Amino acid sequence: MALQQLDEAQIRTWTRRQKDQWWFDNIYQKDMAQLTLRSALTGFLLGGILAATALYIGAKTGIGIGVGLTSVILSFAIFRILHSLGITSDYTILENNCTQSIATAAGYMINPLISSLAAYMLITGKIIPWWQMLLWVTVVALIGVLVAFPLKRRFVNEDQLPFPEGRACGVVLDSLYTDGAGSGLYKAKLLGYTSLFAGLYQMIVSDGWMRLIQFKILRMDKWAGMTEAWNLPERLDTYYYTAAAKLHWWIPNILGTDIRQLGLRLNLDVAMFGVGGLMGIRVASSVMLGAFINFVLLAPWMIQKGDIAARTMPNGTIVPISRTEIVNQWGLWWAVTMMVVGSLVGLLAKPELFKAAFKSMTGNGKKTVDAGPDPLKDIEVPLWISYIGVPVLCIIAAWLVNLLFGVPFIMAMVAFPLIFVLTIICINAMALTSWAPIGALAKITQFSMGAIDRSNPANNLLPAGMTADIAFNASALLSDIKPGYMLGGKPRHQVIGHIIGIFSGALACIPLFFLLFLPPDHDGIRSTATIVSEQFSFPSALQWKGVADIIAKGISGLPTSAIIAMAVAGFCAAFIEITNVITRGRLPLSAVSIGLGVILPPESCFAMWLGALIFWYMGKKNPKAGSKGHTFWVEGCEAISAGLISGAAILGIGNAIINVLM
């Protein structure tokens, strides 16, 4: 069914009150169930699960995965099946929309855990207690919601901005509940089957699951005499190296360095296949290029020169050359330069965002609201909540960052005026492109705070992280509200759902953070040294840490080759992004993605590229809409990718829990 919307002339000439009255009379579904107990509970549970998968993938790749459409398909399928079994009535379209609001908010709130907070722990070596994490991420996310309340009336109600990602969610919901139930169930089956496949594969390659099944359930240690559980090696080249050790075969190397030390392994990670499907061939190819340049070309050369070398710890322990050492000693610096310069140039190359932000702040001199009663006063969130809540929560946040992390109260307060400006820019970007430039904007705050005080890394890390996360939460909320506006949902219900999602994500992901990234050793002691590992590379946190290190220490202590690489990377990033602007994106490269490929394990980059390549090739092979191939590979791409990610992530998380318990 075609969704009703105003035409361009009406958007341009009508006042906001006229638009609100039209929406209230034609779109608003006041009698339809929306935020019910079951939609809230379903959203809370799905949000926790999907936020956990987002944390798992974010720690691996630094990429935030959207969970909105996944939650829409899952909740649609669950309640359609329960309804067919006579257990409950079917979900309404607005109940589903509230569920996706909760789940989406839960997925978005994990951002500080994979970026600024993790970077703070890596720099200081101090583990943030769980209750401090919970307080911090909750307060920051709530400020973002409160900042978004008044802006929603401008960007969604009055300007009717598109918010492509939110609009896509609204279109999917409409198609599911009007004329696409079969399509919805088809996508749900795709998601379910790929989740099952990915989960079974992840179970077979996981040591914890195999020990549980073989020793605790099947008791194979008793009747089969097994002393070690069998599991399929996830790295396929393990078979070659095992045979090579016995038969004295050739060990591949580059300039004398074993390629295993360079991280060049062949890994079949199905979650990374799914991530590649979502990111597309252009971004995945850029990531692959960054990995190739760093680990195949530059790292062996720098090892031969001695700029990357084994380290001796104070206790005499020798840390051999590995992928992690290559990144931390050398590759991180040009990667961070590539990402920061690329994101800043890309942002500055979009002057329309700044023009739109200026018009949003000034109102552009036009009359937007005429006299008369507000038709939405009983269903919109009252503005006084934001006008009181934002200053109060900002003072609480400044007090917390001072109390918990030692950031001077005044420095935290100085960062707050930036919130409004950064949020306006982020919302305009999200509204026009579904992209929020929080990476570039956060660096502006980070360098600004660093210019004031270079002595404490937390002084630039946490205020910058705070402003970025507030801006991101506000822009995400408006994108999340867009489908509800399209379908006639009550704005208050979606905002309440967003707040429920914040607590859902926090309660699910903070314990998981300690379980996955801060496991205790044999003596029960946790260490920040376990945060970054071969399995979890934390690229976002390393980028934040790299900028903080440059601010605090400068670049004088780096090898000359690293400084030269930074200069070249900065020039190349600017060239790539400017060329993309001039050619309207015809250059199939992304500077930020190239930098990301340096920080990620090469095996993950290859798996993502392979996943993107498969979907790209099958899309080219099946261009005809309506054909089986097009329906499966193109229309089903997101469902398949989400299934691969969620199945592998959930079983991977389960494996970590089993290892702790056993």
Side-chain angles (χ1 to χ4, degrees):
M1 182 178 70
L3 293 165
Q4 295 185 68
Q5 58 183 344
L6 298 174
D7 60 37
E8 290 296 326
Q10 292 168 324
I11 294 172
R12 188 175 61 255
T13 59
W14 284 13
T15 63
R16 188 167 74 212
R17 184 180 177 278
Q18 288 176 302
K19 296 170 185 174
D20 287 347
Q21 190 66 58
W22 172 85
W23 181 85
F24 187 82
D25 294 337
N26 295 279
I27 308 296
Y28 179 48
Q29 302 285 340
K30 58 180 177 292
D31 297 324
M32 184 180 290
Q34 300 180 46
L35 184 60
T36 59
L37 179 61
R38 65 177 185 172
S39 68
L41 183 60
T42 304
F44 187 87
L45 295 175
L46 279 180
I49 295 170
L50 294 175
T53 65
L55 177 67
Y56 183 89
I57 298 301
K60 275 179 168 284
T61 67
I63 298 170
I65 58 170
V67 299
L69 287 178
T70 304
S71 67
V72 164
I73 295 171
L74 282 174
S75 54
F76 171 82
I78 290 169
F79 279 90
R80 184 55 57 95
I81 293 170
L82 292 177
H83 175 64
S84 65
L85 296 175
I87 297 174
T88 184
S89 59
D90 201 2
Y91 231 28
T92 71
I93 188 171
L94 292 181
E95 281 183 301
N96 197 324
N97 182 59
C98 280
T99 294
Q100 74 86 17
S101 291
I102 297 170
T104 302
Y108 282 139
M109 63 73 52
I110 63 103
N111 191 60
L113 298 178
I114 62 172
S115 55
S116 55
L117 286 184
Y120 172 81
M121 288 189 278
L122 290 173
I123 287 178
T124 63
K126 299 176 183 177
I127 295 175
I128 302 173
W130 68 267
W131 62 270
Q132 293 184 9
M133 277 192 195
L134 181 63
L135 268 177
W136 180 248
V137 299
T138 303
V139 168
V140 168
L142 286 175
I143 295 174
V145 173
L146 291 179
V147 168
F149 284 174
L151 298 176
K152 179 261 179 186
R153 301 191 184 196
R154 175 60 187 266
F155 289 98
V156 177
N157 295 29
E158 183 180 337
D159 292 344
Q160 302 275 316
L161 293 180
F163 290 95
E165 187 174 323
R167 179 168 181 79
C169 195
V171 170
V172 169
L173 276 165
D174 181 65
S175 66
L176 289 178
Y177 285 87
T178 54
D179 57 3
S183 172
L185 287 175
Y186 176 74
K187 290 181 179 179
K189 288 178 181 178
L190 279 182
L191 193 151
Y193 288 143
T194 51
S195 295
L196 181 63
F197 163 77
L200 288 173
Y201 172 78
Q202 192 66 39
M203 184 180 291
I204 293 172
V205 300
S206 298
D207 56 344
W209 283 108
M210 289 296 96
R211 282 204 306 273
L212 176 67
I213 293 171
Q214 294 169 31
F215 290 167
K216 298 296 182 181
I217 298 176
L218 299 180
R219 297 288 181 179
M220 296 178 70
D221 55 331
K222 303 295 184 185
W223 57 268
M226 291 180 61
T227 57
E228 291 186 9
W230 173 88
N231 65 283
L232 180 71
E234 194 170 22
R235 285 174 168 161
L236 301 181
D237 56 6
T238 300
Y239 295 106
Y240 176 84
Y241 287 115
T242 301
K246 294 179 180 179
L247 304 175
H248 306 290
W249 289 351
W250 173 70
I251 301 298
N253 67 86
I254 301 175
L255 297 180
T257 300
D258 189 326
I259 65 170
R260 287 173 291 183
Q261 290 181 285
L262 300 170
L264 301 176
R265 307 295 302 269
L266 184 59
N267 187 355
L268 187 59
D269 189 335
V270 292
M272 295 301 100
F273 271 64
V275 173
L278 292 178
M279 67 170 44
I281 190 65
R282 175 179 178 269
V283 174
S285 296
S286 298
V287 169
M288 189 64 191
L289 178 62
F292 179 83
I293 291 172
N294 190 68
F295 294 102
V296 177
L297 301 180
L298 297 180
W301 183 21
M302 293 305 109
I303 292 171
Q304 193 178 59
K305 280 173 54 66
D307 286 351
I308 302 173
R311 293 185 297 115
T312 302
M313 300 290 285
N315 61 4
T317 303
I318 297 177
V319 181
I321 294 172
S322 64
R323 183 200 67 84
T324 304
E325 287 296 308
I326 290 169
V327 171
N328 289 335
Q329 290 187 35
W330 199 86
L332 176 65
W333 308 110
W334 79 265
V336 167
T337 304
M338 180 74 77
M339 288 190 281
V340 171
V341 173
S343 59
L344 287 174
V345 172
L347 177 62
L348 295 173
K350 294 181 173 68
E352 68 275 8
L353 298 182
F354 296 95
K355 292 177 182 176
F358 178 76
K359 290 179 181 178
S360 300
M361 289 185 278
T362 62
N364 201 29
K366 66 180 181 180
K367 183 180 179 182
T368 58
V369 185
D370 54 5
D374 180 2
L376 306 184
K377 66 182 178 63
D378 294 326
I379 60 176
E380 287 277 18
V381 178
L383 294 180
W384 66 263
I385 294 178
S386 290
Y387 296 153
I388 295 174
V390 170
V392 169
L393 282 179
C394 282
I395 292 172
I396 291 173
W399 174 72
L400 282 176
V401 79
N402 172 255
L403 177 69
L404 304 180
F405 309 114
V407 177
F409 184 85
I410 189 64
M411 284 198 68
M413 293 304 295
V414 166
F416 284 121
L418 291 171
I419 291 173
F420 183 70
V421 177
L422 299 188
T423 300
I424 293 294
I425 296 172
C426 268
I427 289 174
N428 275 286
M430 182 74 82
L432 299 175
T433 66
S434 287
W435 164 71
I438 57 170
L441 296 175
K443 298 304 169 281
I444 295 173
T445 311
Q446 198 173 356
F447 281 115
S448 301
M449 295 296 103
I452 298 173
D453 183 2
R454 297 174 55 182
S455 61
N456 180 5
N459 290 352
N460 66 73
L461 266 176
L462 295 174
M466 177 174 59
T467 55
D469 293 326
I470 290 170
F472 183 58
N473 270 281
S475 55
L477 174 59
L478 294 198
S479 181
D480 189 34
I481 280 177
K482 181 66 176 182
Y485 184 84
M486 295 164 59
L487 300 169
K490 183 180 288 188
R492 288 184 187 179
H493 284 188
Q494 282 195 273
V495 171
I496 294 170
H498 207 84
I499 294 172
I500 293 171
I502 290 170
F503 287 98
S504 169
L507 293 175
C509 291
I510 289 174
L512 189 60
F513 187 94
F514 280 83
L515 178 68
L516 291 178
F517 317 127
L518 295 168
D521 61 17
H522 294 297
D523 298 321
I525 299 173
R526 301 179 190 270
S527 168
T528 58
T530 60
I531 293 177
V532 177
S533 63
E534 289 301 313
Q535 185 179 10
F536 300 107
S537 55
F538 272 92
S540 291
L542 288 180
Q543 182 186 1
W544 281 78
K545 176 181 178 294
V547 173
D549 283 341
I550 290 173
I551 291 171
K553 303 173 185 176
I555 61 174
S556 57
L558 298 178
T560 302
S561 59
I563 297 172
I564 295 172
M566 290 171 68
V568 174
F571 173 80
C572 291
F575 174 80
I576 289 170
E577 295 306 321
I578 292 172
T579 303
N580 272 321
V581 172
I582 295 172
T583 63
R584 299 183 181 274
R586 292 179 184 174
L587 183 68
L589 293 175
S590 162
V592 175
S593 301
I594 291 173
L596 181 63
V598 178
I599 302 175
L600 289 174
E603 54 196 344
S604 296
C605 296
F606 179 74
M608 288 189 289
W609 177 77
L610 193 57
L613 180 66
I614 291 171
F615 280 105
W616 174 79
Y617 173 76
M618 296 307 294
K620 291 290 185 182
K621 189 177 179 181
N622 299 279
K624 186 178 179 181
S627 65
K628 287 185 177 180
H630 189 275
T631 301
F632 184 87
W633 290 105
V634 179
E635 296 178 16
C637 173
E638 184 157 346
I640 295 170
S641 299
L644 292 173
I645 292 169
S646 56
I650 291 170
L651 270 293
I653 292 167
N655 186 66
I657 295 173
I658 291 169
N659 280 329
V660 170
L661 296 178
M662 293 183 62

